[in-house]
């Protein structure tokens, strides 16, 4: 029994804000890899699907009622051969390299924040600049983990909420860069929230289930209302799935506050970008980062405090 208590005491030290802040910076270093590689991995899968569809003679016959052209078959084989010739790409392999000169990053060049400062933001081999976003993501993840440790205290559930936050951060950065919210992140996040509720770690399961449904259907309804009235698509299906995931973790009561915060902050950022000329082609701002930010705000502040600010009783 004393051994169990000793083990728990050591873990309590890790689960303090300082301990989780350091862990968060390490996780942030990995998130930088996820944000860079996961969209590329997804695009490779998409081109693989294109190659398979181009070579699908049966589908071509069913849809177009004619044999598959030789040119399409040849293009399918050439595209698949090109994909097969690419080096393997995963989240763990290959090891990180400088995109300019190919220098393999050594372990001591990959210490969160410190290595960037030590290298003065440049590759040790070719002196190409390294974006300041890398240490910024590490610091941001560390700050969020520390805040969650302060919010939930030194309890095992803190690790659960930190995992939730890490996925939100990765999804937000990918959406900001590419306007895509990968199913590889949003769907596991949603199912993870429902599983956590089922196991009694977060919410009552009915609250989580209704939250997931309310999150998805609310934005799905807005999407179709906007499309039917304007003929345009105002958001992507990834936003529906992300809000469903937030509902699974935070409950249906959190959906409206999240949407309010995301809409107000998103509009403010969009206007600021428009005024500064930074608004991207097509004049849109991804909504996912603001949904995630609203979800993190609800997590850290708690619904009672937010309801009190909004005057909801």
């Amino acid at each position: 029994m004393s051994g169990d208590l000793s083990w728990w005491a050591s873990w309590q030290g890790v689960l303090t804000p300082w301990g989780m802040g350091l862990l968060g910076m390490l996780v942030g270093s990995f998130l930088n890899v996820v944000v860079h590689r996961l969209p590329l991995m997804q695009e490779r899968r998409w081109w693989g699907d294109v190659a398979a569809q181009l070579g699908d003679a049966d589908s071509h016959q069913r849809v177009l009622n004619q044999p598959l052209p030789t040119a399409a078959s040849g293009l399918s084989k050439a595209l698949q051969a090109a994909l097969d010739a690419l080096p393997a790409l995963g989240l763990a392999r290959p090891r990180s390299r400088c995109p300019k000169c190919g220098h393999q990053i050594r372990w001591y060049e990959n210490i969160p924040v410190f290595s960037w400062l030590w290298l003065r933001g440049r590759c040790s081999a070719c002196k190409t600049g390294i974006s300041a976003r890398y240490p910024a993501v590490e610091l941001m993840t560390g700050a969020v983990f520390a805040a969650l440790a302060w919010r939930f205290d030194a309890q095992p559930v803190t690790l659960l909420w930190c995992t939730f936050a890490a996925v939100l951060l990765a999804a937000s950065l990918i959406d900001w860069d590419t306007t895509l919210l990968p199913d590889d992140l949003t769907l596991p996040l949603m199912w993870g929230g429902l599983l956590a509720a089922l196991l009694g770690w977060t919410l009552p399961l009915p609250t989580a289930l209704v939250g997931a449904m309310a999150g998805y259907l609310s934005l799905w309804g807005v999407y179709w209302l906007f499309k039917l009235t304007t003929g345009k698509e105002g958001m992507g299906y990834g936003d529906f799935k992300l809000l469903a995931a937030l509902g699974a973790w935070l409950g249906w009561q959190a959906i409206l506050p999240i949407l309010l915060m995301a809409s107000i902050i998103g509009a403010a950022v969009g206007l600021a970008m428009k005024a500064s000329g930074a608004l991207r082609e097509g004049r849109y701002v991804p909504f996912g980062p603001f949904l995630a930010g609203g979800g993190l705000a609800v997590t850290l502040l708690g619904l009672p405090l937010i309801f009190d600010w909004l005057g909801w009783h």
Side-chain angles (χ1 to χ4, degrees), residues 204-236:
L205 182 57
T207 303
L209 281 170
V210 176
M213 291 187 291
Y216 189 92
L217 292 175
S218 58
L219 286 186
W220 179 86
V222 171
Y223 168 89
W224 279 106
L225 180 63
F226 185 81
K227 186 171 184 179
L228 291 173
T229 54
T230 67
K232 301 176 182 178
E233 296 185 359
M235 65 183 71

mmCIF file of all heavy atoms in Angstrom, residues 204-236:
data_model
loop_
_atom_site.group_PDB
_atom_site.id
_atom_site.type_symbol
_atom_site.label_atom_id
_atom_site.label_comp_id
_atom_site.label_asym_id
_atom_site.label_seq_id
_atom_site.Cartn_x
_atom_site.Cartn_y
_atom_site.Cartn_z
ATOM 1 N N PRO A 204 -21.864 13.211 -17.465
ATOM 2 C CA PRO A 204 -22.820 12.107 -17.644
ATOM 3 C C PRO A 204 -22.950 11.789 -19.134
ATOM 4 O O PRO A 204 -22.949 12.702 -19.972
ATOM 5 C CB PRO A 204 -24.125 12.676 -17.083
ATOM 6 C CG PRO A 204 -23.708 13.777 -16.162
ATOM 7 C CD PRO A 204 -22.457 14.358 -16.753
ATOM 8 N N LEU A 205 -23.028 10.517 -19.461
ATOM 9 C CA LEU A 205 -23.046 10.115 -20.865
ATOM 10 C C LEU A 205 -24.185 10.771 -21.662
ATOM 11 O O LEU A 205 -23.949 11.230 -22.789
ATOM 12 C CB LEU A 205 -23.133 8.593 -20.978
ATOM 13 C CG LEU A 205 -23.109 8.029 -22.405
ATOM 14 C CD1 LEU A 205 -21.855 8.462 -23.149
ATOM 15 C CD2 LEU A 205 -23.211 6.500 -22.380
ATOM 16 N N PRO A 206 -25.432 10.871 -21.135
ATOM 17 C CA PRO A 206 -26.484 11.545 -21.921
ATOM 18 C C PRO A 206 -26.131 12.988 -22.265
ATOM 19 O O PRO A 206 -26.416 13.452 -23.372
ATOM 20 C CB PRO A 206 -27.707 11.470 -21.000
ATOM 21 C CG PRO A 206 -27.459 10.285 -20.131
ATOM 22 C CD PRO A 206 -25.983 10.276 -19.891
ATOM 23 N N THR A 207 -25.493 13.699 -21.333
ATOM 24 C CA THR A 207 -25.098 15.084 -21.599
ATOM 25 C C THR A 207 -24.070 15.144 -22.723
ATOM 26 O O THR A 207 -24.126 16.024 -23.586
ATOM 27 C CB THR A 207 -24.512 15.722 -20.328
ATOM 28 O OG1 THR A 207 -25.476 15.645 -19.279
ATOM 29 C CG2 THR A 207 -24.140 17.173 -20.554
ATOM 30 N N ALA A 208 -23.118 14.208 -22.719
ATOM 31 C CA ALA A 208 -22.095 14.171 -23.768
ATOM 32 C C ALA A 208 -22.713 13.805 -25.124
ATOM 33 O O ALA A 208 -22.364 14.393 -26.159
ATOM 34 C CB ALA A 208 -21.006 13.181 -23.396
ATOM 35 N N LEU A 209 -23.632 12.834 -25.126
ATOM 36 C CA LEU A 209 -24.270 12.427 -26.379
ATOM 37 C C LEU A 209 -25.079 13.567 -26.983
ATOM 38 O O LEU A 209 -24.977 13.860 -28.178
ATOM 39 C CB LEU A 209 -25.178 11.218 -26.132
ATOM 40 C CG LEU A 209 -24.495 9.857 -26.019
ATOM 41 C CD1 LEU A 209 -25.488 8.810 -25.524
ATOM 42 C CD2 LEU A 209 -23.911 9.437 -27.366
ATOM 43 N N VAL A 210 -25.878 14.219 -26.168
ATOM 44 C CA VAL A 210 -26.675 15.351 -26.662
ATOM 45 C C VAL A 210 -25.754 16.484 -27.100
ATOM 46 O O VAL A 210 -26.014 17.174 -28.088
ATOM 47 C CB VAL A 210 -27.673 15.826 -25.584
ATOM 48 C CG1 VAL A 210 -28.427 17.066 -26.058
ATOM 49 C CG2 VAL A 210 -28.667 14.721 -25.254
ATOM 50 N N GLY A 211 -24.640 16.666 -26.376
ATOM 51 C CA GLY A 211 -23.682 17.691 -26.759
ATOM 52 C C GLY A 211 -23.087 17.439 -28.132
ATOM 53 O O GLY A 211 -22.943 18.362 -28.942
ATOM 54 N N ALA A 212 -22.721 16.185 -28.407
ATOM 55 C CA ALA A 212 -22.161 15.847 -29.717
ATOM 56 C C ALA A 212 -23.199 16.070 -30.820
ATOM 57 O O ALA A 212 -22.880 16.633 -31.878
ATOM 58 C CB ALA A 212 -21.680 14.398 -29.726
ATOM 59 N N MET A 213 -24.423 15.652 -30.578
ATOM 60 C CA MET A 213 -25.469 15.842 -31.581
ATOM 61 C C MET A 213 -25.780 17.316 -31.795
ATOM 62 O O MET A 213 -25.904 17.787 -32.931
ATOM 63 C CB MET A 213 -26.725 15.086 -31.171
ATOM 64 C CG MET A 213 -26.596 13.580 -31.235
ATOM 65 S SD MET A 213 -28.160 12.707 -30.942
ATOM 66 C CE MET A 213 -28.425 13.047 -29.199
ATOM 67 N N ALA A 214 -25.887 18.065 -30.688
ATOM 68 C CA ALA A 214 -26.195 19.490 -30.790
ATOM 69 C C ALA A 214 -25.071 20.238 -31.499
ATOM 70 O O ALA A 214 -25.322 21.143 -32.306
ATOM 71 C CB ALA A 214 -26.426 20.077 -29.395
ATOM 72 N N GLY A 215 -23.827 19.865 -31.204
ATOM 73 C CA GLY A 215 -22.705 20.520 -31.853
ATOM 74 C C GLY A 215 -22.710 20.311 -33.350
ATOM 75 O O GLY A 215 -22.548 21.257 -34.129
ATOM 76 N N TYR A 216 -22.921 19.082 -33.765
ATOM 77 C CA TYR A 216 -22.907 18.789 -35.198
ATOM 78 C C TYR A 216 -24.099 19.428 -35.905
ATOM 79 O O TYR A 216 -23.941 20.121 -36.917
ATOM 80 C CB TYR A 216 -22.923 17.282 -35.431
ATOM 81 C CG TYR A 216 -22.694 16.897 -36.883
ATOM 82 C CD1 TYR A 216 -21.406 16.632 -37.345
ATOM 83 C CD2 TYR A 216 -23.749 16.825 -37.786
ATOM 84 C CE1 TYR A 216 -21.177 16.301 -38.671
ATOM 85 C CE2 TYR A 216 -23.532 16.493 -39.116
ATOM 86 C CZ TYR A 216 -22.244 16.230 -39.552
ATOM 87 O OH TYR A 216 -22.032 15.907 -40.868
ATOM 88 N N LEU A 217 -25.295 19.220 -35.359
ATOM 89 C CA LEU A 217 -26.493 19.654 -36.056
ATOM 90 C C LEU A 217 -26.646 21.164 -36.086
ATOM 91 O O LEU A 217 -27.226 21.720 -37.029
ATOM 92 C CB LEU A 217 -27.723 19.017 -35.410
ATOM 93 C CG LEU A 217 -27.836 17.501 -35.590
ATOM 94 C CD1 LEU A 217 -29.024 16.956 -34.805
ATOM 95 C CD2 LEU A 217 -27.968 17.136 -37.070
ATOM 96 N N SER A 218 -26.130 21.853 -35.086
ATOM 97 C CA SER A 218 -26.268 23.315 -35.072
ATOM 98 C C SER A 218 -25.527 23.939 -36.251
ATOM 99 O O SER A 218 -26.089 24.771 -36.982
ATOM 100 C CB SER A 218 -25.760 23.890 -33.750
ATOM 101 O OG SER A 218 -24.399 23.542 -33.527
ATOM 102 N N LEU A 219 -24.269 23.545 -36.461
ATOM 103 C CA LEU A 219 -23.527 24.106 -37.586
ATOM 104 C C LEU A 219 -23.979 23.514 -38.918
ATOM 105 O O LEU A 219 -23.935 24.193 -39.950
ATOM 106 C CB LEU A 219 -22.020 23.874 -37.395
ATOM 107 C CG LEU A 219 -21.354 24.754 -36.333
ATOM 108 C CD1 LEU A 219 -19.841 24.531 -36.342
ATOM 109 C CD2 LEU A 219 -21.668 26.218 -36.532
ATOM 110 N N TRP A 220 -24.421 22.275 -38.905
ATOM 111 C CA TRP A 220 -24.984 21.675 -40.121
ATOM 112 C C TRP A 220 -26.199 22.473 -40.579
ATOM 113 O O TRP A 220 -26.360 22.757 -41.769
ATOM 114 C CB TRP A 220 -25.367 20.225 -39.851
ATOM 115 C CG TRP A 220 -25.975 19.486 -41.005
ATOM 116 C CD1 TRP A 220 -25.314 18.827 -41.999
ATOM 117 C CD2 TRP A 220 -27.378 19.318 -41.275
ATOM 118 N NE1 TRP A 220 -26.214 18.253 -42.881
ATOM 119 C CE2 TRP A 220 -27.485 18.538 -42.454
ATOM 120 C CE3 TRP A 220 -28.534 19.741 -40.634
ATOM 121 C CZ2 TRP A 220 -28.710 18.200 -43.007
ATOM 122 C CZ3 TRP A 220 -29.772 19.402 -41.186
ATOM 123 C CH2 TRP A 220 -29.850 18.628 -42.370
ATOM 124 N N GLY A 221 -27.054 22.882 -39.642
ATOM 125 C CA GLY A 221 -28.220 23.687 -39.980
ATOM 126 C C GLY A 221 -27.826 25.059 -40.512
ATOM 127 O O GLY A 221 -28.404 25.547 -41.501
ATOM 128 N N VAL A 222 -26.841 25.704 -39.879
ATOM 129 C CA VAL A 222 -26.373 27.010 -40.356
ATOM 130 C C VAL A 222 -25.785 26.885 -41.764
ATOM 131 O O VAL A 222 -26.022 27.736 -42.628
ATOM 132 C CB VAL A 222 -25.322 27.587 -39.375
ATOM 133 C CG1 VAL A 222 -24.655 28.823 -39.963
ATOM 134 C CG2 VAL A 222 -25.969 27.913 -38.034
ATOM 135 N N TYR A 223 -25.032 25.820 -41.984
ATOM 136 C CA TYR A 223 -24.421 25.595 -43.297
ATOM 137 C C TYR A 223 -25.482 25.533 -44.389
ATOM 138 O O TYR A 223 -25.375 26.200 -45.436
ATOM 139 C CB TYR A 223 -23.617 24.295 -43.248
ATOM 140 C CG TYR A 223 -23.164 23.772 -44.592
ATOM 141 C CD1 TYR A 223 -21.945 24.167 -45.134
ATOM 142 C CD2 TYR A 223 -23.945 22.861 -45.304
ATOM 143 C CE1 TYR A 223 -21.519 23.680 -46.367
ATOM 144 C CE2 TYR A 223 -23.529 22.372 -46.539
ATOM 145 C CZ TYR A 223 -22.323 22.783 -47.064
ATOM 146 O OH TYR A 223 -21.913 22.295 -48.276
ATOM 147 N N TRP A 224 -26.513 24.721 -44.159
ATOM 148 C CA TRP A 224 -27.526 24.552 -45.200
ATOM 149 C C TRP A 224 -28.414 25.781 -45.345
ATOM 150 O O TRP A 224 -28.848 26.114 -46.458
ATOM 151 C CB TRP A 224 -28.361 23.305 -44.920
ATOM 152 C CG TRP A 224 -27.641 22.072 -45.375
ATOM 153 C CD1 TRP A 224 -27.038 21.134 -44.617
ATOM 154 C CD2 TRP A 224 -27.412 21.690 -46.734
ATOM 155 N NE1 TRP A 224 -26.442 20.178 -45.393
ATOM 156 C CE2 TRP A 224 -26.665 20.489 -46.706
ATOM 157 C CE3 TRP A 224 -27.763 22.239 -47.976
ATOM 158 C CZ2 TRP A 224 -26.263 19.830 -47.871
ATOM 159 C CZ3 TRP A 224 -27.360 21.581 -49.131
ATOM 160 C CH2 TRP A 224 -26.621 20.388 -49.075
ATOM 161 N N LEU A 225 -28.689 26.477 -44.274
ATOM 162 C CA LEU A 225 -29.451 27.715 -44.376
ATOM 163 C C LEU A 225 -28.688 28.736 -45.212
ATOM 164 O O LEU A 225 -29.268 29.401 -46.094
ATOM 165 C CB LEU A 225 -29.730 28.273 -42.971
ATOM 166 C CG LEU A 225 -30.522 29.579 -42.911
ATOM 167 C CD1 LEU A 225 -31.916 29.382 -43.493
ATOM 168 C CD2 LEU A 225 -30.619 30.084 -41.466
ATOM 169 N N PHE A 226 -27.389 28.856 -44.946
ATOM 170 C CA PHE A 226 -26.567 29.804 -45.700
ATOM 171 C C PHE A 226 -26.466 29.387 -47.168
ATOM 172 O O PHE A 226 -26.554 30.227 -48.070
ATOM 173 C CB PHE A 226 -25.166 29.869 -45.073
ATOM 174 C CG PHE A 226 -24.263 30.886 -45.688
ATOM 175 C CD1 PHE A 226 -24.350 32.221 -45.324
ATOM 176 C CD2 PHE A 226 -23.315 30.517 -46.643
ATOM 177 C CE1 PHE A 226 -23.507 33.174 -45.885
ATOM 178 C CE2 PHE A 226 -22.467 31.463 -47.211
ATOM 179 C CZ PHE A 226 -22.569 32.787 -46.837
ATOM 180 N N LYS A 227 -26.299 28.092 -47.413
ATOM 181 C CA LYS A 227 -26.147 27.624 -48.787
ATOM 182 C C LYS A 227 -27.438 27.793 -49.584
ATOM 183 O O LYS A 227 -27.410 28.181 -50.763
ATOM 184 C CB LYS A 227 -25.715 26.155 -48.795
ATOM 185 C CG LYS A 227 -25.390 25.632 -50.193
ATOM 186 C CD LYS A 227 -24.753 24.265 -50.159
ATOM 187 C CE LYS A 227 -24.361 23.824 -51.570
ATOM 188 N NZ LYS A 227 -23.704 22.508 -51.580
ATOM 189 N N LEU A 228 -28.589 27.529 -48.960
ATOM 190 C CA LEU A 228 -29.867 27.652 -49.657
ATOM 191 C C LEU A 228 -30.213 29.103 -49.952
ATOM 192 O O LEU A 228 -30.888 29.398 -50.938
ATOM 193 C CB LEU A 228 -30.973 27.002 -48.832
ATOM 194 C CG LEU A 228 -30.917 25.470 -48.724
ATOM 195 C CD1 LEU A 228 -31.964 24.960 -47.754
ATOM 196 C CD2 LEU A 228 -31.103 24.820 -50.101
ATOM 197 N N THR A 229 -29.771 30.024 -49.102
ATOM 198 C CA THR A 229 -30.109 31.432 -49.298
ATOM 199 C C THR A 229 -29.103 32.172 -50.177
ATOM 200 O O THR A 229 -29.457 33.151 -50.832
ATOM 201 C CB THR A 229 -30.224 32.160 -47.946
ATOM 202 O OG1 THR A 229 -29.013 31.960 -47.196
ATOM 203 C CG2 THR A 229 -31.402 31.626 -47.145
ATOM 204 N N THR A 230 -27.832 31.716 -50.182
ATOM 205 C CA THR A 230 -26.806 32.429 -50.950
ATOM 206 C C THR A 230 -26.226 31.611 -52.094
ATOM 207 O O THR A 230 -25.586 32.170 -52.988
ATOM 208 C CB THR A 230 -25.644 32.851 -50.031
ATOM 209 O OG1 THR A 230 -24.948 31.672 -49.576
ATOM 210 C CG2 THR A 230 -26.153 33.644 -48.839
ATOM 211 N N GLY A 231 -26.419 30.293 -52.046
ATOM 212 C CA GLY A 231 -25.810 29.433 -53.054
ATOM 213 C C GLY A 231 -24.338 29.168 -52.809
ATOM 214 O O GLY A 231 -23.661 28.563 -53.648
ATOM 215 N N LYS A 232 -23.808 29.607 -51.661
ATOM 216 C CA LYS A 232 -22.398 29.436 -51.340
ATOM 217 C C LYS A 232 -22.248 28.582 -50.086
ATOM 218 O O LYS A 232 -23.181 28.466 -49.293
ATOM 219 C CB LYS A 232 -21.734 30.796 -51.116
ATOM 220 C CG LYS A 232 -21.813 31.733 -52.309
ATOM 221 C CD LYS A 232 -21.213 33.081 -51.975
ATOM 222 C CE LYS A 232 -21.313 34.053 -53.143
ATOM 223 N NZ LYS A 232 -20.764 35.392 -52.794
ATOM 224 N N GLU A 233 -21.053 28.014 -49.925
ATOM 225 C CA GLU A 233 -20.739 27.237 -48.730
ATOM 226 C C GLU A 233 -20.014 28.139 -47.733
ATOM 227 O O GLU A 233 -18.937 28.660 -48.030
ATOM 228 C CB GLU A 233 -19.882 26.027 -49.076
ATOM 229 C CG GLU A 233 -20.591 25.022 -49.971
ATOM 230 C CD GLU A 233 -19.764 23.776 -50.208
ATOM 231 O OE1 GLU A 233 -18.630 23.709 -49.697
ATOM 232 O OE2 GLU A 233 -20.256 22.866 -50.904
ATOM 233 N N GLY A 234 -20.589 28.316 -46.553
ATOM 234 C CA GLY A 234 -20.007 29.221 -45.571
ATOM 235 C C GLY A 234 -18.966 28.582 -44.673
ATOM 236 O O GLY A 234 -18.191 29.281 -44.021
ATOM 237 N N MET A 235 -18.928 27.256 -44.618
ATOM 238 C CA MET A 235 -17.966 26.544 -43.775
ATOM 239 C C MET A 235 -17.843 25.111 -44.257
ATOM 240 O O MET A 235 -18.630 24.668 -45.116
ATOM 241 C CB MET A 235 -18.376 26.591 -42.302
ATOM 242 C CG MET A 235 -19.653 25.864 -41.980
ATOM 243 S SD MET A 235 -20.137 26.027 -40.242
ATOM 244 C CE MET A 235 -20.633 27.739 -40.195
ATOM 245 N N GLY A 236 -16.896 24.393 -43.703
ATOM 246 C CA GLY A 236 -16.687 23.009 -44.105
ATOM 247 C C GLY A 236 -17.267 22.028 -43.096
ATOM 248 O O GLY A 236 -17.574 22.397 -41.956
#
